[in-house]
Amino acid sequence: MQLKNSTDYAIRIVCYLAAQERMVSTSELSRKLNVSANYVPKIAKKLKNAKIVTACEGTNGGYMLAKQPENISLMDIISCVEETMAINRCLEEDRFCSRNLEDTCKIHKILLSLQNTYNNKLESVKVSDVIRPGEDEYFGRFYVVLKLNLKEKSYECVYSHIREVYEKVRKTESYEEFISQYVERYVYASDKKMVHDFLSSEGLEERLVDGCEEKDLPYRRITGKDKNAYVWMEAKKYIDANENTAIITLHNEKIVQNTVIKMERELIKKEQDMAKQYWDMVSLLTTVLNHNHLVEVGYQDDISFYTKQVYLQLQKKYPEYGITDEEIASVAHLAPIHDIGKIKVPIEILNKNGKLTDEEMNVVKQHPLVGAAMTQRFPEGITTEKLNQYSYEICRHHHERYDGSGYPDGLKGNAIPMCAQVVGIVDAYDALINDRPYKRKYEPEEAIQMISNGECGAFSNQLMQCFQEAAKQPEWLKVTKSQARQKI
């Protein structure tokens, strides 16, 4: 659907009458709105039939609104002038469809959803919003719908409120070029990269679920020559790779900047509070482990330190792993809770002198599963999503070994998450250099040699090299000596 000039005139007439709040003559409407005097009565008649305006004949006659501006939507005006509000023929009453498959066609369903969104937007925008755009009001009218053929790399403009966009699409050969020009001309400076990456054709078919995706992105659109004047917009993309089709919409959001800022602040505070709650819970669990004598005094700092040092070597020697500073810090802080599942293991088994029976060993081997289940009750939010993943993987998989001989899942090779591999090797080291009810403690050099010989299970060559290199660093040796002095 492409709006006719008469629809544009109708919107202008209604908005002018709303702003004047009085009877306005045909000549004044023609003069002020640059609309032909012959057109005004014809358009006014349609508006009158829709009960949007009233007419009064005579010398002082003219037109005025029949109801308050806040009770007149853009949908009311457009629908009384346009023959159809459908954005595509298959949505019209005759149900035209080139393949006669409107009941099963996925594109029909996408367009129908799009039509409903379009209708809802027009219904939500009132004339009062247009003529009196205040801080909390709708400001500007922008709506663009693009349809892409993913296979042929072609595109078309299905609808645009601004005629200029049709011309731009017609003159621009590729969708990528159109998006680049749109972003450069209309998008607020700090949002340009974000919007371009979201709309770029290169990313349209990534991370699809069953070949489909529906996603939206809020951004700011420049409204004039002042680069700091903008309105909030929303970009939506509907992808159906099975039909080689994508629908892109760019339209106004009836959201004021201050409201968005307030909402962003509230969300940030909420996430910060949730992150604090998360780390408080981790600290509490570590305290419980200490209180129940399931770990040594100072264990939290030691295991965190060792984990960080090995991770730093991996980051340095193997950049292809993509290890970030954030991952290192998070995993190092979470490493002390890897054995929280032992809370459910009877203390007499944990403190038993000598070798465990097969039955007792089976009980001990349940602690990774118990610990992983406990992490699934940790606080959930945007800031804790990755932390929850690390917590779960560390608790469940720190006893897995690279050759598949570990437990509880018998994972092998790189199927074992890196965080669990690192915590697994430093846990083995810490266990060797400390006294246990069932063994004496070993000197650090002995412990390193035992791990290198495979006496604590198999680790990858890369991880083993990084562990050995970390153990040579002055900081490592200093912490190890300090730990030994504390336990004399």
Side-chain angles (χ1 to χ4, degrees), residues 10 37 135 138 157 174 226 238-239 265 268 276 284 293 303 328 332 340 347 355 381 396 400 429 452:
E135 190 174 63
Y138 183 90
C157 182
S174 71
D226 183 358
Y238 308 80
I239 316 297
R265 286 174 179 169
I268 290 172
K276 183 180 182 302
L284 175 63
H293 305 292
I303 199 76
I328 295 174
I340 57 172
I347 195 69
K355 187 177 180 181
R396 184 172 184 117
E400 302 288 357
Y429 173 77
S452 300

Side-chain angles (χ1 to χ4, degrees), residues 452-467:
S452 300
N453 292 340
E455 294 179 49
C456 296
F459 299 96
S460 72
N461 292 332
Q462 295 89 336
L463 179 59
M464 185 67 75
Q465 291 171 8
C466 290
F467 167 73

Side-chain angles (χ1 to χ4, degrees), residues 77-127:
I77 303 171
I78 297 173
S79 59
C80 77
V81 182
E82 290 289 336
E83 294 178 2
T84 177
M85 292 298 294
I87 62 174
N88 197 54
R89 285 289 307 279
C90 69
L91 301 178
E92 294 178 7
E93 289 187 5
D94 62 9
R95 297 177 68 79
F96 170 84
C97 178
S98 60
R99 297 185 297 168
N100 294 316
L101 296 173
E102 62 269 20
D103 292 329
T104 58
C105 177
K106 290 185 178 180
I107 302 304
H108 176 86
K109 294 176 182 177
I110 292 174
L111 289 172
L112 184 59
S113 174
L114 187 59
Q115 179 77 63
N116 291 333
T117 301
Y118 165 64
N119 290 349
N120 290 337
K121 290 293 181 181
L122 291 178
E123 285 284 4
S124 70
V125 181
K126 307 299 181 183
V127 171

